[in-house]
């Protein structure tokens, strides 16, 4: 299959669908090569990055953060669902005083993260990839982050996806009055 994996539903529809998609990308990416035996995909939050990950992290790692959802509309019949999402690519280093090593970690993380962004964009435009179609991918930004105490550095990517939000209710989800 040409997309990360064969998931039911669009990655924009639920947080779990997006998580499964990112995990699939971590499996397919040659630098990450996530497996159950050697996990390189984790769910976490930015706070955990700075306080220390609760799970053992294999480097490099893709760490998915929780997102935020907004519903916007120009009028009642023209609504959109906007999902702000973020993930970190993190790499460990050994020596606090070896800035070449620290910046090599940043470089690796940026290369992996940029490739993840490229893959989401590429999958979005593939007709046979049902999991990532019908949304816009906007406002991508990236920032370097570093935890000196734990000796890891990374790049945090954040972005917004936007898709139409249909206002019609599903009669099967409601009891008759």
């Amino acid at each position: 299959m040409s997309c990360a994996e064969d998931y039911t539903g669009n990655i924009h529809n639920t947080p779990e669908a997006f998580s499964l998609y990112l995990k699939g990308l971590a499996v397919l990416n040659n630098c990450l090569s996530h497996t159950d035996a050697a996990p390189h995909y984790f769910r976490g939050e930015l706070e955990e990055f700075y306080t220390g990950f609760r799970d053992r992290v294999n480097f490099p790692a893709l760490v998915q953060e929780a997102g935020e959802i907004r519903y916007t509309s120009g009028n009642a019949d023209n609504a959109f669902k906007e999902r702000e999402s973020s993930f970190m690519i993190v790499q460990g280093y050994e020596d606090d005083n070896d800035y070449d090593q620290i910046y090599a970690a940043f470089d690796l993380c940026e290369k992996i993260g940029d490739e993840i962004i490229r893959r989401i964009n590429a999958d979005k435009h593939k007709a046979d990839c049902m999991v990532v179609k019908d949304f816009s991918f906007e406002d991508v930004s990236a920032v370097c982050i570093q935890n000196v105490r734990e000796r890891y550095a990374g790049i945090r990517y954040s972005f917004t996806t936007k898709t139409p939000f249909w206002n019609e209710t599903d009669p099967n989800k409601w009891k008759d009055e």
Side-chain angles (χ1 to χ4, degrees):
M1 168 145 232
S2 61
C3 351
E5 277 191 32
D6 183 19
Y7 302 117
T8 39
N10 187 312
I11 67 167
H12 192 271
N13 289 342
T14 68
E16 184 63 15
F18 184 65
S19 293
L20 290 171
Y21 176 73
L22 274 184
K23 185 176 183 179
L25 293 180
V27 168
L28 294 174
N29 182 276
N30 290 330
C31 291
L32 296 172
S33 297
H34 170 82
T35 65
D36 289 339
H40 290 264
Y41 165 84
F42 302 89
R43 293 183 191 178
E45 297 301 326
L46 186 57
E47 178 183 342
E48 282 186 83
F49 176 87
Y50 289 113
T51 60
F53 290 110
R54 63 181 169 221
D55 297 323
R56 185 178 151 269
V57 174
N58 294 308
F59 296 115
L62 187 159
V63 182
Q64 180 195 352
E65 297 178 59
E68 180 179 318
I69 300 171
R70 282 190 312 276
Y71 297 89
T72 61
S73 63
N75 60 51
D77 295 326
N78 186 19
F80 292 93
K81 184 177 185 178
E82 295 180 2
R83 187 181 303 275
E84 287 189 27
S85 302
S86 56
F87 65 86
M88 297 172 268
I89 304 295
V90 182
Q91 174 65 18
Y93 60 88
E94 298 294 322
D95 185 356
D96 293 331
N97 297 315
D98 187 346
Y99 291 100
D100 289 338
Q101 188 181 79
I102 294 168
Y103 278 87
F106 283 132
D107 289 350
L108 175 65
C109 293
E110 184 173 339
K111 288 174 185 173
I112 295 169
D114 286 357
E115 198 57 35
I116 298 289
I117 296 296
R118 283 186 197 101
R119 181 63 184 255
I120 293 170
N121 262 326
D123 283 351
K124 179 176 99 116
H125 295 292
K126 292 179 181 171
D128 64 339
C129 188
M130 295 302 292
V131 297
V132 291
K133 63 188 256 185
D134 298 330
F135 71 86
S136 64
F137 190 49
E138 305 171 351
D139 303 323
V140 179
S141 64
V143 63
C144 292
I145 52 178
Q146 182 177 3
N147 184 323
V148 177
R149 182 176 53 88
E150 299 290 333
R151 291 191 177 106
Y152 45 75
I155 306 285
R156 181 177 187 258
Y157 289 81
S158 58
F159 51 91
T160 302
T161 58
K162 183 176 180 179
T163 191
F165 180 74
W166 308 113
N167 285 317
E168 296 86 25
T169 58
D170 181 350
N172 295 323
K173 306 284 184 195
W174 297 92
K175 297 177 185 173
D176 291 333
E177 293 182 35

